[in-house]
């Protein structure tokens, strides 16, 4: 299982992300970026793949975009569906794997926001996902996804760490109203290009005593730019845009914390 498959993580996901990005938000402006993209390319329908708890899905739906949502985590889909109901939005949100999902209709735009694509842990899975998504898109359809430029100095640090070398990440108030601390430990395998590790959650009572501890695994694969260009071409796409942030800063040769790819069916 992955971090996002657990009910406790899904229920608290929005809460700890708010704290995680309060001082530095690497995804600043992402909702409006996708709204603009949907207005330009989404007239034939949009699908939010790896939709999580609905940050993009609900934002776009609330603004009149015809959009479906899917995520491999059933728990994330449940949270997104509950939020949609509270907003009086009647949406098609369904659990599925991006390598083989099908809703029975074609879309003109597919979105994989944030790190969704990076949870595919091999080139075979990446190829399967890209080819399947291509099948779910209408002729000339657009796919946008995110990666980041792997940083050698960070990789070197992670290669010297284990899955239990925890560092404090943040503190927040969980869905039960209790204070909770999050620690994570990340290691890196340069052969598979996989970051693997664990997140540790410590929950406290009002007296500051630890009343629960949970360990949740997380794995993500790093993909280099040159590799992504080849994957896109192999799977029937061309790269028509590459940005270094959600304000459409052109990605140049320097390393970028976030890369937003715009792919079009050839």
């Amino acid at each position: 299982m992955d971090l996002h498959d657990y009910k406790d993580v899904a229920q608290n996901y929005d809460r700890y992300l708010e704290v995680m990005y309060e001082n530095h938000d690497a995804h600043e402006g992402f909702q409006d970026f996708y709204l603009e993209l949907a207005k330009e390319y989404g007239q034939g329908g949009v699908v939010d793949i790896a939709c999580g708890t609905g940050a993009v899905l609900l934002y776009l739906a609330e603004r009149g975009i015809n959009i479906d949502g899917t995520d491999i985590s059933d728990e994330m889909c449940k949270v997104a569906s509950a939020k949609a109901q509270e907003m009086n939005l009647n949406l098609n949100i369904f659990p599925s794997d991006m390598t083989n999902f099908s809703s029975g209709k074609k879309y003109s735009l597919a979105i994989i926001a944030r790190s969704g694509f990076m949870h595919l842990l091999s080139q075979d899975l990446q190829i399967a996902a890209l080819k399947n998504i291509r099948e779910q898109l209408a002729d000339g359809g657009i796919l946008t996804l995110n990666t980041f430029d792997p940083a050698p100095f960070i990789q070197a640090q992670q290669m010297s760490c284990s899955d239990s070398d925890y560092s404090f990440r943040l503190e927040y108030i969980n869905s039960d109203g209790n204070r909770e601390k999050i620690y994570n430990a990340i290691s890196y395998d340069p052969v598979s290009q996989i970051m693997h590790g664990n997140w540790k959650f410590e929950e406290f009572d009002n007296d500051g005593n630890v009343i629960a501890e949970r360990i949740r695994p997380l794995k993500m694969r790093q993909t280099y730019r040159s590799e992504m260009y080849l994957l896109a071409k192999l799977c029937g796409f061309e790269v028509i845009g590459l940005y270094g942030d959600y304000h459409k800063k052109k990605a140049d040769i320097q390393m970028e914390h976030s890369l937003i790819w715009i792919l079009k069916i050839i």
Side-chain angles (χ1 to χ4, degrees), residues 18-192:
E18 182 178 357
V19 175
M20 186 180 294
Y21 295 130
E22 64 182 356
N23 294 320
H24 174 68
D25 187 357
H27 305 291
E28 179 187 358
F30 75 108
Q31 291 171 314
D32 287 330
F33 173 88
Y34 290 118
L35 178 60
E36 182 180 338
L37 208 63
K39 288 179 178 179
E40 183 174 1
Y41 296 113
Q43 293 85 354
V46 181
V47 58
D48 183 3
I49 303 167
C51 67
T53 58
V56 174
L57 172 69
L58 301 178
Y59 188 82
L60 268 57
E62 195 174 26
R63 286 155 181 79
I65 302 299
N66 176 21
I67 186 168
D68 292 343
T70 180
D71 196 285
I72 196 170
S73 168
D74 186 47
E75 294 298 337
M76 288 289 193
C77 287
K78 288 177 181 177
V79 173
S81 295
K83 290 164 68 175
Q85 290 180 354
E86 291 176 1
M87 299 168 66
N88 294 316
L89 294 172
N90 183 21
L91 299 180
N92 180 26
I93 304 172
F94 56 98
S96 69
D97 189 323
M98 72 175 75
T99 64
N100 57 26
F101 85 95
S102 175
S103 68
K105 60 183 179 182
K106 299 280 188 177
Y107 304 93
S108 59
L109 173 64
I111 295 170
I112 310 178
R114 292 176 172 170
S115 59
F117 187 77
M118 296 178 65
H119 289 277
L120 299 168
L121 300 181
S122 70
Q123 281 190 346
D124 286 344
L125 288 174
Q126 291 174 327
I127 290 168
L130 290 172
K131 287 186 174 180
N132 181 58
I133 293 167
R134 191 181 189 282
E135 289 300 311
Q136 312 312 314
L137 289 171
D139 290 344
I142 300 293
L143 166 63
T144 179
L145 59 86
N146 288 37
T147 61
F148 63 77
D149 280 328
F153 63 94
I154 296 178
Q155 290 174 330
Q157 292 174 351
Q158 293 174 342
M159 287 168 62
S160 65
C161 296
S162 74
D163 290 351
S164 59
D165 290 329
Y166 290 104
S167 298
F168 174 74
R169 188 70 182 270
L170 61 90
E171 181 177 319
Y172 76 107
I173 304 300
N174 68 19
S175 58
D176 292 326
N178 293 328
R179 186 166 58 92
E180 192 159 280
K181 291 184 178 181
I182 299 179
Y183 305 81
N184 64 1
I186 301 174
S187 185
Y188 179 68
D189 177 6
V191 176
S192 64

